């Protein structure tokens, strides 16, 4: 007997290339990391080396803001766990930005049926 479980699969494609609008410096005064936890959360961490404010944004494919958090200029470290279990499947964009540039990460959320392991034991 096959038992199919529905499980939320989250993958994050991380890229730390600053978005250059022609005025952005080669290096940013902040760094950001993100990963997906087993509890259907995206953990985002920001560490700054200068007194510049940054904004953390999560947008859907229609560019609607699903999450927005301002990190003040005096706050050097910021971390948050975003619960994405209730979001519909699709592509999302996670952006951490300041006036000097952005770090953009793509997040793909999808439900995929996972086959439960089955074991057959025969006794004679």
């Amino acid at each position: 007997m096959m038992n199919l479980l529905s499980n939320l699969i989250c993958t994050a494609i991380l890229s730390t290339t600053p978005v250059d609008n022609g005025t952005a410096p080669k290096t940013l005064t902040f760094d950001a990391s993100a990963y997906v936890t087993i509890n259907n959360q995206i953990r985002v961490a920001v560490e700054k080396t200068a007194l510049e404010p940054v904004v953390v944004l999560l947008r859907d494919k229609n560019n609607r803001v699903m999450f927005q958090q301002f990190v003040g200029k005096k706050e050097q470290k910021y971390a948050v766990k975003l619960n994405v279990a209730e979001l519909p499947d699709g592509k999302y964009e996670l952006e951490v930005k300041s006036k000097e540039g952005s770090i953009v990460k793509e997040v793909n959320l999808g439900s995929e049926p996972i086959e439960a392991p089955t074991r057959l034991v025969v006794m004679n």
Side-chain angles (χ1 to χ4, degrees):
M1 176 177 161
M2 292 193 130
N3 183 12
L4 293 180
L5 301 175
S6 180
N7 205 1
L8 184 67
I9 305 298
C10 300
T11 58
I13 301 170
L14 305 178
S15 106
T16 56
T17 306
V19 176
D20 189 357
N21 60 8
T23 61
K26 296 292 182 202
T27 59
L28 298 174
T29 59
F30 66 91
D31 193 17
S33 63
Y35 65 90
V36 179
T37 70
I38 60 171
N39 299 328
N40 298 326
Q41 296 177 336
I42 301 172
R43 186 182 188 294
V44 181
V46 178
E47 188 167 345
K48 302 185 308 177
T49 58
L51 295 176
E52 290 293 328
V54 298
V55 180
V56 178
L57 297 160
L58 180 67
R59 290 187 287 262
D60 68 6
K61 66 181 179 180
N62 296 320
N63 212 28
R64 288 183 297 192
V65 175
M66 309 304 284
F67 174 82
Q68 178 175 343
Q69 179 66 47
F70 294 95
V71 181
K73 65 181 181 180
K74 293 183 180 180
E75 202 172 347
Q76 286 188 296
K77 293 183 180 184
Y78 171 78
V80 67
K81 287 182 186 174
L82 306 175
N83 186 351
V84 295
E86 299 299 319
L87 292 178
D89 294 352
K91 290 187 178 186
Y92 293 84
E93 181 179 85
L94 180 67
E95 181 179 18
V96 180
K97 68 179 183 174
S98 72
K99 67 180 182 180
E100 62 186 19
S102 296
I103 296 173
V104 178
K105 301 170 186 298
E106 183 180 286
V107 178
N108 294 308
L109 301 179
S111 297
E112 186 175 293
I114 297 176
E115 191 174 310
T118 58
R119 183 175 292 199
L120 180 62
V121 178
V122 178
M123 298 176 70
N124 288 329

